[in-house]
Amino acid sequence: MQAPRLSIDGLAAGLMALLCALWGLQQIVIKLAAQDIAPIMQIALRSGLAALLVGGLMRWRGHKRLKGTFKPGVAAGLLFGVEFVLIAVGLAYTSASHMVVFLYTAPIFTALGLAWRLPSERLSPRQWIGIALAFSGLAFAFLGDAGGNADTRLGDALAVLAGLAWGATTVVVRCSRLADAEPAETLLYQLVAGCVVALAYAAVSGEIGHVALSWITAGTLFFQGVLVACASYLAWFWMLRRYQASQLVVFSFLTPLYGVAFGVLLLAEPLDAHFLAGACLVLAGIFVVNGGVLFGRAKLALARR
């Protein structure tokens, strides 16, 4: 029987803000390093590096695998691999900002899947309004000037499919024995499968040799392999075991805001009024979903002093 999950608290909110910044920067780094190392190879090598780190951590801690996790672990791993292949391919057609935005349709797919599978994760009408506000903000910010060409639309569509794969991954984790497994175990399944799937695609597409030895290559693999694929994902799965996933994923709407800000600063991508207005809607949606819980906890803490 799965342990009950907590509502969002200050620790979870702060950690999610940090994770969202790392995840928002991830697509920008992939785009920046694409000349030295193909995006699909970045994903394959960073997944392999992170798998070695996580596997070593599990061995050092004497981790024993939870029974009944193999099948859902493989399923989650394959979905994880497909997600990042779609990201790598999509970045060849659309901007990093668009990729970050459309990838983060994942919370919508996650919320729908969890509401269907787990009664404890069903959202209240107020929370559904918050999700609608946040998603409307994204749509307003990035579809208000939708005049992209066919290549851009293809890249955007691949980003949405990646978001669907990510949302499905979270549902598999929460609705199986993986929900009670150690975060490192859940992550290792995904990293190993992600590395295999990405390498297979790289071999088929002829990009497996697109790797140059440079400081850019080393830097991006450290950032993606150690900070993102290892540290941030371990933190994410730890929170999935402790807090309600339907509330956590709404915070991930912050990631596109970080992603676009980094895109403006590092890739000189344009910033317009659509983004500023959409950002306000996104933040309003997050407040509607989680604000009541956070303020309620704050008042309770003050009352106990």
Side-chain angles (χ1 to χ4, degrees):
M1 182 177 179
Q2 295 182 5
R5 266 53 179 182
L6 302 175
S7 295
I8 290 288
D9 56 19
L11 173 63
L15 188 51
M16 278 303 299
L18 176 60
L19 295 183
C20 288
L22 289 174
W23 296 337
L25 185 57
Q26 179 181 203
Q27 320 308 328
I28 311 303
V29 170
I30 291 175
K31 197 86 168 181
L32 280 171
Q35 293 297 319
D36 288 58
I37 175 171
I40 193 65
M41 289 304 297
Q42 293 184 50
I43 289 162
L45 294 178
R46 75 95 184 253
S47 296
L49 172 61
L52 291 174
L53 293 173
V54 173
L57 176 64
M58 292 172 65
R59 185 177 179 83
W60 176 69
R61 295 175 59 187
H63 173 81
K64 293 183 179 180
R65 186 171 66 87
L66 184 68
K67 291 183 179 180
T69 61
F70 181 74
K71 289 183 178 180
V74 171
L78 291 176
L79 285 167
F80 182 86
V82 168
E83 173 196 343
F84 280 96
V85 168
L86 290 168
I87 289 171
V89 177
L91 282 171
Y93 297 97
T94 192
S95 68
S97 295
H98 275 225
M99 177 57 67
V100 175
V101 170
F102 289 109
L103 174 62
Y104 280 83
T105 55
I108 301 299
F109 298 121
T110 300
L112 291 172
L114 290 177
W116 173 52
R117 294 295 305 274
L118 296 177
S120 62
E121 292 280 4
R122 288 174 184 167
L123 299 173
S124 67
R126 176 182 60 82
Q127 290 173 314
W128 278 114
I129 291 172
I131 285 183
L133 269 177
F135 190 66
S136 296
L138 293 181
F140 184 81
F142 297 98
L143 297 180
D145 56 349
N149 55 34
D151 282 350
T152 300
R153 287 193 292 271
L154 173 60
D156 292 346
L158 291 173
V160 172
L161 289 176
L164 174 60
W166 180 17
T169 302
T170 304
V171 173
V172 168
V173 170
R174 281 290 289 112
C175 298
S176 69
R177 289 284 285 165
L178 289 173
D180 292 317
E182 288 293 326
E185 181 179 339
T186 303
L187 179 57
L188 187 61
Y189 278 119
Q190 299 191 47
L191 292 172
V192 172
C195 181
V196 171
V197 171
L199 282 176
Y201 182 85
V204 171
S205 65
E207 295 182 280
I208 199 165
H210 185 174
V211 180
L213 297 178
S214 68
W215 287 109
I216 292 178
T217 298
T220 189
L221 290 180
F222 174 81
F223 172 77
Q224 295 188 60
V226 177
L227 298 182
V228 176
C230 182
S232 80
Y233 290 168
L234 281 176
W236 168 246
F237 286 116
W238 174 80
M239 286 196 293
L240 280 178
R241 291 185 68 207
R242 184 175 176 85
Y243 299 99
Q244 292 186 24
S246 54
Q247 293 183 4
L248 286 176
V249 294
V250 175
F251 260 88
S252 65
F253 278 117
L254 286 172
T255 301
L257 308 186
Y258 283 118
V260 172
F262 289 134
V264 171
L265 293 173
L266 301 176
L267 297 176
E269 293 180 346
L271 175 65
D272 60 24
H274 286 100
F275 170 72
L276 296 176
C280 292
L281 287 174
V282 169
L283 294 174
I286 292 173
F287 176 81
V288 169
V289 173
N290 291 308
V293 175
L294 292 174
F295 278 104
R297 285 177 172 267
K299 289 178 180 178
L300 181 60
L302 288 172
R304 288 175 174 174
R305 288 186 177 181

